[in-house]
């Protein structure tokens, strides 16, 4: 039995869960998430908990058991508390600003980099160098944060670029000068 898959998911107050044939819809204060469920997995609502079980002990059902439970738990957590990723910009002249809903990045290119957030994602900027990506879908939040970071990843000689908050960049020594 999957150690993760057999754990029940507690439904917090203010979150509504609706189980349909091959999907589960979770609605809360931060939005609505729809999680598709494979036919190898069954979902039951039992007194304030979601219980995920598998139909049989086939290899596919065993591999999907823990995954399905985690995806549903992430949806429940996301609609109640929201997920967030924080990014930092380092470098002279590098900065971020909001233009309406879009993120405008000045990253040393000859043009500004405009990032349009997908539906359900909010981007905020504090102090021109700190970016926060928030949303109810964990995967989408991570994808948007990775997309922003990919516009100018941190380089190893001076450490300039966009990095996750708390990310450590291993620095390289530059060229040794003439003697």
């Amino acid at each position: 039995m999957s150690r993760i898959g057999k754990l029940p998911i507690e439904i917090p107050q203010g979150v509504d869960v609706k189980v349909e044939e091959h999907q589960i819809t979770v609605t809360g204060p931060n939005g609505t998430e729809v999680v598709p469920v494979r036919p190898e997995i069954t979902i039951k609502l039992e007194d304030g908990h979601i219980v995920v079980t598998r139909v049989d002990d086939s290899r596919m059902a065993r591999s999907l058991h823990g995954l399905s439970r985690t995806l549903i738990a992430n949806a429940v957590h996301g609609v109640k508390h929201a997920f967030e990723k924080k990014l930092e910009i380092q470098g002279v002249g590098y900065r971020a600003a909001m233009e309406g809903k879009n993120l405008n990045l000045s990253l040393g290119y000859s043009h500004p980099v405009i990032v349009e957030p997908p539906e359900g994602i909010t981007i905020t900027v504090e102090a021109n160098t700190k970016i926060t990506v928030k949303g109810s879908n964990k995967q989408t939040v991570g994808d948007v944060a990775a997309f922003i970071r990919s516009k100018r990843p941190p380089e190893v000689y001076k450490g300039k670029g966009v990095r996750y908050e708390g990310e450590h960049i291993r620095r390289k020594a530059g060229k040794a000068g003439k003697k």
Side-chain angles (χ1 to χ4, degrees), residues 125-137:
V125 176
E126 306 112 33
N128 290 338
T129 59
K130 303 220 183 281
I131 302 167
T132 304
V133 180
K134 262 185 144 178
S136 61
N137 189 320

Side-chain angles (χ1 to χ4, degrees), residues 23-175:
Q23 70 181 17
I24 183 167
T25 306
V26 185
T27 307
N30 290 325
T32 301
E33 289 295 321
V34 178
V35 181
V37 179
R38 293 283 304 262
E40 294 92 344
I41 303 297
T42 57
I43 297 169
K44 294 179 202 139
L45 290 173
E46 295 177 358
D47 53 275
H49 289 80
I50 302 169
V51 179
V52 180
T53 55
R54 54 184 185 239
V55 176
D56 56 15
D57 277 343
S58 68
R59 186 179 184 95
M60 183 60 102
R62 284 182 302 176
S63 66
L64 291 171
H65 191 193
L67 172 71
S68 299
R69 189 252 178 224
T70 302
L71 291 175
I72 295 167
N74 284 342
V76 169
H77 177 81
V79 298
K80 180 68 176 176
H81 303 292
F83 291 99
E84 75 174 21
K85 287 260 189 189
K86 294 183 182 251
L87 299 152
E88 300 172 338
I89 300 175
Q90 287 190 343
V92 177
Y94 290 10
R95 62 184 163 272
M98 292 302 295
E99 289 182 353
K101 282 188 160 191
N102 296 340
L103 176 67
N104 185 351
L105 298 167
S106 299
L107 297 173
Y109 296 119
S110 62
H111 55 84
V113 177
I114 308 291
V115 177
E116 219 175 293
E119 192 175 320
I121 299 294
T122 55
I123 299 175
T124 56
V125 176
E126 306 112 33
N128 290 338
T129 59
K130 303 220 183 281
I131 302 167
T132 304
V133 180
K134 262 185 144 178
S136 61
N137 189 320
K138 188 175 187 178
Q139 182 175 351
T140 309
V141 168
D143 288 346
V144 171
F147 179 74
I148 293 170
R149 184 181 182 275
S150 74
K151 294 302 171 186
R152 180 70 85 174
E155 57 102 19
V156 294
Y157 294 105
K158 294 183 181 176
K160 293 167 44 170
V162 181
R163 65 177 76 187
Y164 296 113
E165 187 177 65
E167 180 181 6
H168 177 72
I169 305 299
R170 282 189 54 207
R171 303 284 292 276
K172 286 176 143 182
K175 286 197 280 187

